[in-house]
Amino acid sequence: MKDTAKPMKSIRQAILTTLNTHGEPTVDGMLDQITGFDRKTIGANVAQLVTEQLATRRKDDFTGAPAYKITDLGKSRIKSEAANAPVTVSAEKIAEIMAAIDAGQAENGRLHAALKESEQAREIHVKSLLDLEREKIELLRENSVLRESQSAGVTRIDALSAALEREHDEAMRLKSENMALTTLNESMPGFGAAYEEVKTEEQQVTVEQFLIRIPKGSKPMFVAKSLEKARQQAMRAAKTVGKVEVFAMVPVGDAVRGAVWNQK
């Protein structure tokens, strides 16, 4: 409901303010707080406030005189009157307000410039992050290519290692065979030349047995007609004794009673 009450006189506003500040004073108590008005005037106006339900009245326990207390409606009238009261502003206050406005505008400009600078810095930062992300993607791609290349290299190395091992085995076989032939040539001069001559004539020398000898060790062993078996047995023995010699036994002749030598 809209408040259509007329503005109160200054005496009533003063009484309501006093009641709001000092609890439940009597008229005599209000005389000490409100100056410029006599006891009769204050009593008449406070009675009118009670009639308008802006204050309540009860008997004071100490003096026996009526004591007055402001109501919520009275408190609202204090605020309403204060809000509707004309405001007088001095030239100094106006100057102070204008200075505050100017300062606010200056601060607003500073904040606007700071915001713009912050946005520019953010754009630079975002661009830097995008560049870093692109660089990261490129590095991941290059790393993937390197991994694929490394995998292919490992496969190639494994293949070369297997081929090298086969070549090593073949080299060891040829070395064993060459060592056997050298030993035979040293023990039987001319065997090498004869062997080469036989090879030249596309004839084959038949190796009947292979001899395995451990230097400063046990007695020589004879192996069946297989260079591979002789090589394998020699390799196994070499793991323990360090060196094993293999000799190829080929028929080169025989001697019979009567000091007769038959060349084969």
Side-chain angles (χ1 to χ4, degrees):
M1 182 176 178
K2 185 177 180 181
D3 187 3
T4 58
K6 297 180 180 179
M8 292 184 297
K9 298 178 180 180
S10 59
I11 177 65
R12 295 186 183 181
Q13 194 63 243
I15 293 172
L16 286 176
T17 302
T18 301
L19 295 179
N20 188 49
T21 305
H22 298 282
E24 295 183 74
T26 63
V27 173
D28 292 332
M30 283 184 274
L31 280 172
D32 296 332
Q33 305 298 326
I34 304 173
T35 60
F37 299 97
D38 57 24
R39 188 178 188 282
K40 182 179 179 180
T41 303
I42 293 176
N45 281 278
V46 73
Q48 185 62 34
L49 291 175
V50 172
T51 303
E52 295 177 3
Q53 297 183 351
L54 300 179
T56 60
R57 177 173 52 203
R58 73 175 183 82
K59 185 178 181 179
D60 184 66
D61 296 333
F62 181 72
T63 63
Y68 300 91
K69 181 179 180 180
I70 191 170
T71 63
D72 291 338
L73 181 60
K75 291 179 181 180
S76 67
R77 290 299 296 272
I78 292 176
K79 296 179 181 178
S80 174
E81 292 295 329
N84 294 326
V87 179
T88 302
V89 182
S90 64
E92 291 79 5
K93 190 63 177 179
I94 293 175
E96 182 180 345
I97 294 173
M98 294 302 296
I101 293 174
D102 292 340
Q105 290 177 344
E107 180 65 13
N108 183 59
R110 186 189 68 80
L111 292 175
H112 182 74
L115 177 61
K116 185 176 181 180
E117 183 179 351
S118 177
E119 290 178 348
Q120 291 175 348
R122 184 180 64 84
E123 291 178 359
I124 294 174
H125 182 64
V126 170
K127 183 178 182 300
S128 178
L129 288 178
L130 291 176
D131 292 340
L132 288 175
E133 186 66 22
R134 284 192 289 268
E135 184 177 354
K136 176 184 175 182
I137 294 173
E138 181 63 21
L139 288 175
L140 289 175
R141 187 190 66 78
E142 292 179 359
N143 185 58
S144 177
V145 173
L146 288 175
R147 285 181 178 274
E148 293 177 359
S149 178
Q150 182 181 16
S151 178
V154 170
T155 302
R156 178 61 177 165
I157 289 174
D158 292 342
L160 291 175
S161 297
L164 180 61
E165 186 175 355
R166 290 193 298 271
E167 292 295 332
H168 178 266
D169 292 343
E170 179 64 15
M172 293 300 296
R173 186 188 68 78
L174 293 174
K175 182 178 179 181
S176 298
E177 183 177 343
N178 182 65
M179 184 182 296
L181 293 175
T182 301
T183 303
L184 286 174
N185 188 57
E186 291 176 353
S187 60
M188 293 175 290
F191 170 76
Y195 179 70
E196 291 297 331
E197 182 179 351
V198 169
K199 286 175 62 179
T200 303
E201 294 175 359
E202 297 183 355
Q203 296 178 1
Q204 294 183 351
V205 176
T206 302
V207 179
E208 295 184 352
Q209 284 183 325
F210 291 89
L211 181 144
I212 299 176
R213 187 182 72 173
I214 301 175
K216 298 180 181 181
S218 59
K219 295 180 180 181
M221 296 183 297
F222 292 93
V223 186
K225 297 179 180 180
S226 173
L227 175 60
E228 181 60 25
K229 289 183 178 180
R231 186 181 70 83
Q232 292 177 1
Q233 191 166 349
M235 293 293 289
R236 286 194 295 269
K239 293 180 179 179
T240 303
V241 299
K243 181 179 180 181
V244 177
E245 296 178 331
V246 179
F247 301 93
M249 308 298 291
V250 297
V252 294
D254 55 52
V256 298
R257 189 176 300 164
V260 178
W261 170 259
N262 294 324
Q263 181 76 30
K264 291 186 179 182

